Amino acid sequence: MPEVAEDIRRAIEPAQLRQLLGCFPTGVAVITTCTPDGQPAGLTCNSFSSVSLDPPLVLFSLRNASRLLPTFQAADGFVINILSQQQDALSGRFASSRIEHKFDGVAWRAGRLGMPLIDDCLASFECRVHATHAAGDHTIFIGEVRHLSAGVPDQALVFYKGAYMMLAESLRKLVVEGRLGDADIDEAYRTLYGTLLHLASERASEAELDAVQQAADAIEAHPDDAPLKERIASASAFFASIAAAGHNEALTLMAQTMTSVLRERMTHVLSVRARPDLFPLRRKVAHNLRQRNPEGAAAALDELITQLRKG
């Protein structure tokens, strides 16, 4: 049995696991507590979950590699601060490893248990530690809710497929309503994917270059009457393979958002049909990447976008 378990672990690709787990939308919270000397400490988390109503239990999980793990292990409680969609900057602040003093400039107050409650959140749950459990590369903290409070009447900040849903939803709405200009979209694609092509020419493995070529081949394999759903999936896969080859997580998140724009345009705006005239241009992108020629790949992509617009 140990051998079987090890085989299963090897079969699960971490990058794919993370991608598919991202299909489940989650709220965003800042978990706060106090250091042994009474200083506020906190981090961004989207692993918060309810456990029980009676008794009132909640949980969050923390990476064992987190430098704040000892702080939370030493504390007798913590606060779950649920963020609103207006607090995306706050989420980024508490998630950043570059910001040492997270609470500088942040409005907060001490709660009834003496731990930090962040102002203007949707809700806050003040908890005493009920139990902790080691689980793989994380530690699970279960808290008993001792006090709770409702905050501002706003929408929740939601994380989905590696991006804030607020941004993706706003772009989707603009596309459907026809308020996002073609020139702006084209410029965004040229800038974002041009940069990713330059990075991919330096960083991509041979397997990742193969994936770009295979994504281009998959588009050409569609019959003329292929369903729209299949065309959208293959077009998205082509751009996703370029993003993956660039090995830049921040740009990959942006690329995922642009993929949502592409999907909405193909569904609601563009007249989607077979375009064999574009096949050589995608092959040219893949070929230049294979040759580690970023200028050639970016030029081919630029031509592809131009031809797509001429339709």
Side-chain angles (χ1 to χ4, degrees):
M1 291 302 293
E3 291 80 6
V4 173
E6 182 62 27
D7 288 343
I8 292 174
R9 280 194 293 270
R10 290 174 180 170
I12 301 299
E13 171 58 43
Q16 184 182 29
L17 177 63
R18 181 177 183 180
Q19 178 185 21
L20 295 182
L21 287 174
C23 293
F24 183 68
T26 61
V28 184
V30 170
I31 317 295
T32 57
T33 191
C34 290
T35 64
D37 61 355
Q39 296 302 307
L43 49 78
T44 301
C45 168
N46 66 344
S47 62
F48 165 67
S49 177
S50 63
V51 176
S52 168
L53 292 179
D54 186 16
L57 301 177
V58 297
L59 68 76
F60 76 97
S61 62
L62 181 59
R63 289 184 306 114
N64 293 335
S66 171
R67 64 181 182 84
L68 282 180
L69 179 62
T71 298
F72 279 96
Q73 288 176 323
D76 61 1
F78 54 84
V79 180
I80 310 289
N81 300 275
I82 308 297
L83 300 189
S84 76
Q85 65 178 359
Q86 305 301 322
Q87 294 177 301
D88 53 315
L90 199 63
S91 171
R93 179 179 184 83
F94 278 88
S96 174
S97 61
R98 298 181 179 180
I99 300 176
E100 182 177 357
H101 302 291
K102 299 289 197 299
F103 283 84
D104 285 356
V106 174
W108 65 278
R109 65 194 186 280
R112 294 171 68 178
L113 298 182
M115 293 173 294
L117 273 67
I118 296 176
D119 289 355
D120 299 324
C121 290
L122 295 183
S124 296
F125 303 88
E126 299 177 67
C127 307
R128 290 295 187 195
V129 174
H130 177 79
T132 62
H133 301 281
D137 58 4
H138 279 61
T139 296
I140 299 171
F141 290 81
I142 299 177
E144 181 178 359
V145 179
R146 296 292 184 88
H147 304 284
L148 49 82
S149 57
V152 297
D154 198 354
Q155 298 297 313
L157 183 63
V158 178
F159 206 64
Y160 174 61
K161 287 191 174 181
Y164 293 125
M165 188 178 287
M166 176 182 62
L167 174 59
E169 179 64 18
S170 297
L171 286 171
R172 187 200 70 80
K173 184 177 181 181
L174 289 174
V175 169
V176 172
E177 294 176 354
R179 295 193 289 126
L180 199 60
D182 291 342
D184 289 342
I185 294 173
D186 290 351
E187 184 177 36
Y189 266 100
R190 287 186 171 98
T191 302
L192 175 59
Y193 286 98
T195 301
L196 284 166
L197 286 169
H198 275 76
L199 294 176
S201 70
E202 300 173 359
R203 303 174 178 178
S205 67
E206 289 301 312
E208 288 165 337
L209 296 177
D210 289 341
V212 175
Q213 182 62 63
Q214 291 163 4
D217 293 342
I219 294 175
E220 296 185 23
H222 284 309
D224 290 347
D225 60 349
L228 177 61
K229 182 178 180 180
E230 293 182 9
R231 294 187 185 278
I232 292 174
S234 60
S236 300
F238 176 71
F239 286 105
S241 66
I242 294 173
H247 289 275
N248 183 295
E249 188 170 352
L251 292 179
T252 297
L253 295 181
M254 297 178 193
Q256 290 172 354
T257 300
M258 290 306 297
T259 294
S260 71
V261 172
L262 174 67
R263 184 179 298 111
E264 294 300 331
R265 285 175 59 76
M266 292 182 72
T267 302
H268 301 288
V269 179
L270 302 176
S271 176
V272 180
R273 57 182 176 81
R275 292 291 302 272
D277 58 308
L278 301 179
F279 294 169
L281 296 176
R282 291 192 187 89
R283 288 198 296 269
K284 192 173 180 181
V285 171
H287 172 76
N288 279 286
L289 264 186
R290 179 76 66 183
Q291 299 299 313
R292 310 287 177 170
N293 177 5
E295 287 76 16
L301 178 69
D302 185 78
E303 189 177 354
L304 173 66
I305 293 171
T306 299
Q307 292 302 317
L308 273 169
R309 184 65 58 221
K310 291 180 178 178

